[in-house]
Amino acid sequence: GEDVEQSLFLSVREGDSSVINCTYTDSSSTYLYWYKQEPGAGLQLLTYIFSNMDMKQDQRLTVLLNKKDKHLSLRIADTQTGDSAIYFCAESNPGGNTPLVFGKGTRLSVIA
Amino acid sequence: GAGVSQSPSNKVTEKGKDVELRCDPISGHTALYWYRQSLGQGLEFLIYFQGNSAPDKSGLPSDRFSAERTGGSVSTLTIQRTQQEDSAVYLCASSFSRTETQYFGPGTRLLVL
């Protein structure tokens, strides 16, 4: 079955890099997503990566995909206090009528 | 406003009452999803609409939950005879098609007393 695992908490100092990790089980996943949820808000799409890529960079965000190990990571460079939020990893399989499968989210705390 | 909107933003109800939650997807998006986020949990899929196809209801937790999508646009999620365990944030998302990126609304926070 589909399952997405993430560590629940991460704490970093302002200015340092944050790395949030995710593992997934569905090898047929086509897209893998990172969403951000700030307190009391909905989910904001941060970035996504297509499964035939191994890296994607977007400003301070770098996504690395190791398809062999089914491991996805999100690196945030120069982490700021505004980056404090819950980060959700999600996988999709458009081969069928399946919705996104989400991890439980990683709560990132940035210490000033 | 080009985003997904949901109403109400917060709802407090008594156990046993029925509630209706509304979602307005992004204009032109044919796919619409409902998810539930319980405290400390990830997102749990509830139901999915794609165009005029029959909805995928495989995630609905009980027959007290139902949803409809009128005219291929606005959707309403109904919970009958609410229970305390129904307390959660109900999130709606839409996408251009089932293979495209999902964009989420701000959610409805439901509290059943």
Side-chain angles (χ1 to χ4, degrees):
Chain A
E2 300 167 333
D3 198 12
V4 177
E5 300 284 342
Q6 300 178 241
S7 53
L8 295 181
F9 300 98
L10 177 64
S11 181
V12 299
R13 293 197 178 276
E14 189 175 19
D16 288 350
S17 293
S18 307
V19 179
I20 302 171
N21 294 300
C22 169
T23 58
Y24 61 98
T25 56
D26 189 346
S27 59
S28 61
S29 291
T30 303
Y31 288 99
L32 293 138
Y33 296 86
W34 285 104
Y35 283 87
K36 176 183 180 182
Q37 186 179 37
E38 297 185 57
L43 271 70
Q44 171 196 354
L45 176 67
L46 278 182
T47 188
Y48 64 91
I49 189 167
F50 191 56
S51 61
N52 69 352
M53 298 168 64
D54 53 19
M55 187 181 91
K56 180 178 180 181
Q57 186 152 4
D58 183 2
Q59 300 182 334
R60 292 190 298 123
L61 304 179
T62 303
V63 179
L64 295 178
L65 174 61
N66 181 329
K67 197 170 180 182
K68 174 177 169 290
D69 294 339
K70 296 178 196 166
H71 182 266
L72 181 74
S73 68
L74 173 70
R75 179 176 180 270
I76 306 172
D78 187 25
T79 313
Q80 303 297 307
T81 54
D83 295 325
S84 294
I86 301 176
Y87 291 80
F88 290 94
C89 170
E91 64 174 348
S92 73
N93 176 8
N97 281 335
T98 52
L100 293 178
V101 177
F102 286 84
K104 286 186 165 52
T106 299
R107 183 179 296 274
L108 174 64
S109 298
V110 181
I111 305 164
Chain B
V4 177
S5 60
Q6 293 186 245
S7 61
S9 53
N10 293 281
K11 176 73 176 177
V12 181
T13 190
E14 293 178 346
K15 178 181 172 182
K17 301 275 190 185
D18 297 351
V19 295
E20 283 189 353
L21 312 179
R22 177 187 168 107
C23 172
D24 279 276
I26 293 171
S27 178
H29 280 194
T30 62
L32 186 148
Y33 304 78
W34 284 99
Y35 294 87
R36 177 169 72 175
Q37 184 180 23
S38 302
L39 186 63
Q41 299 295 314
L43 275 74
E44 172 191 13
F45 163 70
L46 297 177
I47 188 168
Y48 155 65
F49 297 88
Q50 170 59 54
N52 295 321
S53 303
D56 176 354
K57 304 179 183 179
S58 61
L60 294 178
S62 77
D63 58 8
R64 295 186 296 105
F65 288 73
S66 63
E68 62 178 24
R69 188 178 186 194
T70 54
S73 180
V74 171
S75 176
T76 302
L77 176 69
T78 302
I79 309 173
Q80 296 178 307
R81 304 181 302 281
T82 52
Q83 303 296 309
Q84 288 180 332
E85 61 263 29
D86 299 334
S87 296
V89 177
Y90 289 82
L91 290 160
C92 175
S94 72
S95 62
F96 185 70
S97 73
R98 67 177 177 86
T99 60
E100 298 294 325
T101 300
Q102 293 177 33
Y103 294 89
F104 283 78
T108 294
R109 283 152 190 79
L110 174 66
L111 178 61
V112 182
L113 300 176

